[in-house]
Amino acid sequence: MSGYDLVLRSRRAVLPDGERPASVCVRDGRIVELAGYDEVPGTDLGELALLPGLVDTHVHVNEPGRTEWEGFASATRAALAGGVTTIVDMPLNSVPPTVTVPALHRKREAADGRCHVDVGFWGGAVPEHLVELPALHAAGVFGFKAFLVDSGVPEFPPLDPAGLHRALAAVDALFLVHAEDPDRIGTAPASARYADFLTSRPPDAERRAVEVVLDAARRTGRRVHVLHLSAADALPAIAAARRDGVPVTVETCPHYLTLDAAEIPDGATEFKCCPPIRDAANRAALWAALADGLVDCVVSDHSPCPPALKRRDSGDFGAAWGGIASVQLGLPAVWTQARRRGHGLGDLVRWMSRRPAEIAGLPDKGGIRIGADADLVAFDPEAEFTVEPARLLHRHPVTPYAGRRLTGVVRGTWLRGEPVGPADPPRGRLLVRGGGRPGAAAVVGEERA
């Protein structure tokens, strides 16, 4: 094998310059050569596509403190099964939330030795801890998440527009914002009708909050990232800001690209999330924005909870927890719809691997290129399967995708050149911004994004 630790040969390798036959050569956990398909002997994947491992920068692991909701072992096992080799954990709904350096240490202690994929951490920006942001950034978080509306948990309160401006001014970092305007959101009614819940969170609530985020970025010059965009109404403001040079990036999620509000049955609270799933015309506008680059990436917003909190027994959308657990299903869910719309595997890699890695500042992830970590996925883009909740590996098998026919199956995964599967011992590493050892601020460099 010419001194390589691993060579993977595929007739459909998705490389930065396109999809083509290639041999990917690995030494010491990194890609060191990209050769022709017939040039180097190795493991032959044939017509299976070879993708870079997906990078999911929006995962709520919830440990410590709410480990009964999820946990590092279960969340990362599910991620691995879904072709995701790197996640970045959100600062809530763990207790304590990741809003101080000691809380970050507790989170890392909870994750250490339990992760099946590589894991980084976002910090949180909340009103009483804005003074902590520079130290937390120096300790290696990849940036900061803030809410402009009630987060759903009392220990992570929202910022008002002035507070968001103060947060951005406090540290030169990437800020991720849950953008919904609390003044435009009504109290979700006690109702089993999805339409009643949807009415309580109108598109205008997102549009107005996105405008607040863009204004703060204009005034401070800081990078901002709009989380889980569901409302296409906000796209014109984002496009205008981009033309003006405002440093803004945008994500959406598989459920906004694949599901339709008109098809959600009464009482089916597994579909509840905030912001909500909207109609088919809105979905089409999100696909168009994704295709032209106005929306940068697709990440899961994996947000599980114990089944009782979903209130499936009563079907009450007003009382149910808002969150969708999909870290294992994001790849086939998006691919199923993308291929119907004429998109290729290169688009999928851009949306779900390269751009999330670039936005978060993960220079060793997100692509099959020389020098990158050899995080690789053998993917069968033609195989179909029916989603069976009992086969999902996150802690509670609740999903709006139950019974759906999806296309695309992960056939094998390598983490830094080592074959890994959900049943194997955890081999994931904890990541810090800029590289270095967790907790060692002295070796954390500047952001590379």
Side-chain angles (χ1 to χ4, degrees):
M1 292 189 41
S2 305
Y4 302 122
D5 301 326
L6 173 72
V7 175
L8 295 177
R9 304 167 63 231
S10 169
R11 296 187 184 278
R12 301 188 65 181
V14 183
L15 309 179
D17 61 352
E19 180 183 327
R20 59 181 171 85
S23 296
V24 179
C25 308
V26 178
R27 186 184 301 119
D28 297 328
R30 291 186 179 268
I31 298 168
V32 295
E33 184 178 352
L34 299 175
Y37 176 76
D38 294 318
E39 289 182 12
V40 187
T43 300
D44 189 1
L45 302 177
E47 296 297 327
L48 290 179
L50 185 61
L51 314 180
L54 302 193
V55 178
D56 191 338
T57 55
H58 196 149
V59 178
H60 294 268
V61 176
N62 304 336
E63 187 177 9
R66 288 192 175 94
T67 310
E68 71 276 13
W69 291 26
E70 188 62 284
F72 285 102
S74 54
T76 59
R77 188 180 293 114
L80 185 65
V84 176
T85 53
T86 303
I87 68 169
V88 188
D89 170 67
M90 283 292 167
L92 74 164
N93 303 297
S94 57
V95 181
T98 314
V99 295
T100 66
V101 172
L104 174 63
H105 292 333
R106 286 191 61 184
K107 175 95 50 138
R108 286 174 171 155
E109 289 168 1
D112 191 25
R114 296 179 176 87
C115 298
H116 294 265
V117 303
D118 287 355
V119 178
F121 303 94
W122 298 113
V126 298
E128 63 269 33
H129 288 294
L130 296 184
V131 68
E132 308 272 356
L133 299 184
L136 197 49
H137 199 230
V141 299
F142 285 83
F144 298 95
K145 179 176 185 176
F147 277 77
L148 297 183
V149 68
D150 181 16
S151 71
V153 291
E155 66 274 3
F156 204 96
L159 298 175
D160 60 17
L164 179 65
H165 189 282
R166 289 195 299 273
L168 268 62
V171 60
D172 187 2
L174 174 63
F175 280 84
L176 302 82
V177 187
H178 180 128
E180 289 183 283
D181 185 338
D183 294 334
R184 295 290 296 136
I185 291 177
T187 300
S191 173
R193 295 182 69 249
Y194 181 75
D196 293 336
F197 166 67
L198 183 60
T199 299
S200 73
R201 300 185 93 99
D204 185 55
E206 278 190 83
R207 179 189 61 78
R208 290 178 56 167
V210 165
E211 289 171 352
V212 168
V213 175
L214 296 174
D215 180 67
R218 280 192 182 93
R219 291 174 180 271
T220 62
R222 300 299 197 221
R223 290 192 301 145
V224 293
H225 181 75
V226 177
L227 294 168
H228 46 49
L229 184 73
S230 84
D233 287 17
L235 292 171
I238 294 167
R242 287 256 180 96
R243 289 193 296 269
D244 292 342
V246 176
V248 56
T249 50
V250 183
E251 70 183 40
T252 192
C253 303
H255 36 282
Y256 302 131
L257 296 170
T258 62
L259 304 176
D260 176 359
E263 298 175 354
I264 297 176
D266 288 351
T269 52
E270 62 269 25
F271 288 84
K272 180 181 177 180
C273 56
C274 300
I277 296 160
R278 305 192 189 277
D279 62 26
N282 183 87
R283 181 179 63 186
L286 291 178
W287 274 107
L290 191 62
D292 69 16
L294 185 56
V295 173
D296 296 88
C297 62
V298 183
V299 292
S300 69
D301 189 9
H302 178 75
S303 185
C305 69
L309 293 183
K310 273 298 188 182
R311 305 295 177 94
R312 196 64 171 88
D313 54 345
S314 66
D316 183 351
F317 278 99
W321 174 261
I324 288 177
S326 64
V327 70
Q328 186 172 338
L329 296 174
L331 174 57
V334 174
W335 175 238
T336 300
Q337 296 294 322
R339 71 201 298 262
R340 292 175 185 171
R341 290 169 165 80
H343 296 291
L345 292 172
D347 297 318
L348 195 71
V349 165
R350 182 173 73 255
W351 301 330
M352 303 188 78
S353 186
R354 179 172 68 84
R355 286 299 287 142
E358 289 173 345
I359 290 165
L362 291 160
D364 298 329
K365 307 293 186 181
I368 300 177
R369 61 184 185 276
I370 293 173
D373 286 349
D375 300 342
L376 302 163
V377 173
F379 182 64
D380 187 340
E382 309 300 331
E384 296 183 349
F385 69 102
T386 300
V387 176
E388 302 176 33
R391 297 174 67 88
L392 299 177
L393 299 180
H394 61 266
R395 188 174 297 279
H396 302 291
V398 177
T399 174
Y401 296 101
R404 288 180 177 263
R405 194 76 177 161
L406 300 180
T407 302
V409 174
V410 173
R411 300 296 190 190
T413 309
W414 292 260
L415 185 64
R416 291 181 304 280
E418 294 290 333
V420 289
D424 294 336
R427 296 182 186 174
R429 296 178 180 174
L430 304 187
L431 307 175
V432 297
R433 179 182 56 87
R437 294 178 290 110
V443 299
V444 174
E446 293 300 313
E447 281 181 297
R448 293 177 287 176

